[in-house]
Amino acid sequence: MTECLASDVQRRGPFGDNFKGVPAYVSYLQRTMPALPGYRMDIDGVTELGGERALVELRETIELDSGPF
């Protein structure tokens, strides 16, 4: 996965979970994804920005007692 990421990749999460750079982002994913019940990440959109850059919109879901969140 890391080979698909730009060195200056940025995550701007919905809960202030913002990370910049491959090591920080991958470390976040490695810690978070297995720790959340029913975690799922879906790609909702990809926008080409030019210069071999893209913006990817992700939808993250976890399973709570009340259902998917």
Side-chain angles (χ1 to χ4, degrees), residues 4-58:
C4 296
L5 298 172
S7 60
D8 61 347
V9 65
Q10 293 184 39
R11 173 193 166 81
R12 295 188 180 161
F15 302 107
D17 47 324
N18 301 324
F19 298 94
K20 186 172 183 179
V22 172
Y25 181 50
V26 171
S27 176
Y28 163 77
L29 292 177
Q30 289 173 328
R31 287 189 321 271
T32 304
M33 292 174 84
L36 296 172
Y39 182 87
R40 189 174 73 238
M41 180 187 291
D42 298 296
I43 298 173
D44 279 350
V46 178
T47 304
E48 292 184 45
L49 301 176
E52 297 184 6
R53 296 176 59 99
L55 169 72
V56 180
E57 296 176 76
L58 303 172

